[in-house]
């Protein structure tokens, strides 16, 4: 098989997927069509439609764009078949029905931002950081009936620094995802369309504990101050800068205000009798008690205010030391 024999339909939506689509285009692969989510209403009244990052790039490159509301819609399926693709590449898209992923002769492979079978699900990057992992990676695998369970083609590892937030890991995996896609395509070409792949069950011994990566909601992001300092430190960086870990600041008069926290720093300071959620203001530094020590708060945003560093936050808040963070 030659590179020119591949007719590829690419499916994806966010910036993370654009890096891979760009790599395909820049390396001369024949992308015959792009499938992405419908334009998203934005603005106060939802009167403005915002195209996905993938759509914007595809249109710049003159690529045909399909935006189905329903993946099983017959009109969409007929249009998809008309491009006569023999391979589909999926990056950060949505669950596909069998009639779509089974359409091309060479199948459909997905680029997933984790080392499967670990962190199957919608938010693998966030959860890897939240759980304090020191290594993650990217995986290419053929789609099948269940989410993120298909036969693995390739994996590439990525080290997570202890001070890395989810944005930096996202950026690293975004570029690594483009690399593994190109390597996977070369494997498919070299194997005449039938590369070696591994059943994920071969990677899950009886002693392996699998961690999942479900979609993150607002309630997922609430900080529990009665957890250990390291847990909270990882939790904050695993949600920074988006969607952002949050807590509730309770003033001396009982008023409650949502407070987002974007950056913290571990300390070796003991609690000295402080209960979880109690605050300590020391000069212009701000600390909060956890279950096993003081955690320094570095970057915060009070509801309705600008995001700011802790020293500015301390300067602008009266009676801060008398406030507490709700457990």
């Amino acid at each position: 098989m030659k590179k020119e024999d591949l007719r590829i339909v690419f499916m994806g939506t966010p910036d993370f997927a654009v890096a891979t689509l760009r790599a395909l285009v820049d390396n001369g692969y024949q992308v015959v069509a792009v499938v992405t989510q419908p334009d998203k209403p934005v603005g106060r009244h939802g009167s403005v439609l915002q195209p996905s990052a993938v759509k914007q790039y595809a249109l710049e490159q003159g690529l045909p764009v399909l935006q189905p509301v329903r993946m099983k819609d017959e009109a969409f399926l007929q249009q998809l078949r008309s491009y006569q693709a023999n391979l589909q590449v999926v990056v950060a898209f949505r669950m596909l029905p069998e009639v779509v992923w089974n359409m091309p002769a060479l199948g459909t492979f997905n680029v997933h931002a984790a080392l499967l079978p670990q962190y199957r699900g919608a938010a693998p990057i966030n959860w890897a950081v939240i759980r304090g992992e020191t290594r993650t990676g990217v995986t290419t695998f053929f789609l099948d009936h269940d989410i993120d369970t298909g036969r693995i083609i390739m994996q590439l590892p990525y080290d997570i620094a202890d001070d890395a937030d989810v944005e930096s890991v996202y950026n690293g995996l975004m570029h690594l995802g483009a690399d593994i896609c190109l390597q996977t395509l070369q494997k498919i070409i070299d194997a005449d369309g039938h590369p070696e792949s591994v059943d994920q069950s071969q990677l899950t011994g009886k002693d392996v504990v699998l961690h999942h990566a479900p979609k993150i909601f607002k309630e997922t992001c609430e900080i529990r101050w009665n957890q250990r300092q390291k847990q909270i430190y990882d939790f904050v960086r695993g949600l920074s800068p988006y969607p952002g870990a949050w807590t509730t600041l309770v003033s001396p008069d009982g008023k409650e205000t949502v407070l987002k926290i974007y950056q913290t720093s571990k300390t070796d300071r003991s609690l000295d009798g402080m209960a979880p959620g109690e605050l300590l203001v020391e000069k212009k530094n701000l600390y909060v008690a956890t279950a096993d020590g003081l955690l320094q708060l570095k970057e915060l945003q009070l509801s309705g205010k600008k995001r700011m560093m802790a020293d500015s936050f301390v300067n602008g808040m009266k009676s801060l030391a008398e406030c507490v963070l709700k457990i």
Side-chain angles (χ1 to χ4, degrees):
M1 174 177 282
K2 297 179 181 179
K3 184 177 183 178
E4 295 75 20
D5 295 331
L6 291 179
R7 290 178 59 84
I8 299 171
V9 164
F10 181 86
M11 300 184 181
T13 297
D15 288 328
F16 191 92
V18 173
T20 301
L21 178 56
R22 180 181 290 111
L24 295 178
V25 172
D26 290 348
N27 284 273
Y29 281 96
Q30 186 180 187
V31 180
V32 296
V34 171
V35 182
T36 190
Q37 293 279 45
D39 294 357
K40 184 178 180 180
V42 296
R44 178 169 295 182
H45 304 292
S47 57
V48 178
L49 294 179
Q50 176 69 43
S52 72
V54 161
K55 178 181 178 179
Q56 293 179 59
Y57 176 78
L59 293 179
E60 290 171 5
Q61 300 302 313
L63 301 173
V65 175
L66 309 181
Q67 296 179 273
V69 174
R70 295 189 304 109
M71 299 298 290
K72 292 183 179 181
D73 182 79
E74 188 56 39
F76 163 68
L77 295 175
Q78 289 182 9
Q79 193 174 13
L80 189 60
R81 292 189 192 99
S82 72
Y83 289 101
Q84 300 180 327
N86 53 9
L87 180 68
Q88 291 175 157
V89 176
V90 180
V91 184
F93 193 45
R94 57 192 287 189
M95 186 174 180
L96 302 181
E98 182 176 1
V99 68
V100 173
W101 59 256
N102 201 30
M103 186 179 295
L106 301 181
T108 299
F109 77 78
N110 181 277
V111 178
H112 186 74
L115 296 176
L116 292 173
Q118 295 291 358
Y119 295 104
R120 293 169 175 156
I125 306 176
N126 297 92
W127 285 107
V129 180
I130 287 171
R131 293 191 62 87
E133 301 285 3
T134 58
R135 171 168 284 198
T136 184
V138 288
T139 301
T140 51
F141 67 97
F142 285 114
L143 295 189
D144 64 11
H145 294 91
D146 298 315
I147 296 176
D148 300 336
T149 60
R151 295 183 65 86
I152 291 174
I153 310 167
M154 285 190 68
Q155 293 189 315
L156 293 176
Y158 180 87
D159 292 332
I160 303 176
D162 183 65
D163 61 349
D165 62 18
V166 75
E167 183 175 47
S168 65
V169 179
Y170 179 100
N171 289 336
L173 293 180
M174 177 172 64
H175 297 295
L176 195 62
D179 291 342
I180 199 174
C181 180
L182 295 178
Q183 292 181 42
T184 299
L185 288 172
Q186 191 59 54
K187 286 190 70 171
I188 290 173
I189 292 169
D190 293 343
D192 199 27
H194 302 284
E196 292 185 6
S197 58
V198 178
D199 192 305
Q200 291 191 34
S201 63
Q202 297 180 30
L203 306 177
T204 55
K206 63 179 182 179
D207 297 326
V208 175
V209 177
L210 292 182
H211 302 300
H212 297 280
K215 186 175 180 179
I216 290 176
F217 299 94
K218 180 181 178 181
E219 54 269 25
T220 313
C221 304
E222 185 176 8
I223 302 169
R224 303 297 178 185
W225 297 106
N226 53 5
Q227 294 182 324
R228 293 179 294 108
Q229 178 189 142
K230 178 66 164 60
Q231 283 181 280
I232 299 171
Y233 172 79
D234 292 334
F235 186 78
V236 170
R237 65 193 184 96
L239 296 168
S240 180
Y242 182 83
W246 63 274
T247 185
T248 302
L249 180 70
V250 184
S251 65
D253 62 3
K255 180 182 178 182
E256 298 186 354
T257 309
V258 171
L259 177 67
K260 281 197 172 184
I261 300 178
Y262 295 98
Q263 185 183 7
T264 67
S265 179
K266 292 175 290 183
T267 78
D268 57 4
R269 299 185 58 172
S270 61
L271 293 171
D272 290 331
M274 294 175 62
E278 290 186 358
L279 294 170
L280 171 65
V281 179
E282 201 171 73
K283 296 182 180 179
K284 292 186 178 181
N285 296 319
L286 180 61
Y287 303 88
V288 59
T290 69
D292 62 352
L294 294 183
L295 183 70
Q296 186 173 2
L297 304 183
K298 305 278 285 188
E299 193 172 1
L300 317 90
Q301 183 178 18
L302 202 61
S303 180
K305 304 293 183 180
K306 293 181 180 179
R307 181 171 163 177
M308 63 185 69
M309 301 306 293
D311 55 351
S312 299
F313 183 79
V314 169
N315 284 339
M317 288 288 292
K318 296 180 180 179
S319 304
L320 185 57
E322 300 173 29
C323 299
V324 295
L325 301 180
K326 183 181 279 189
I327 297 178

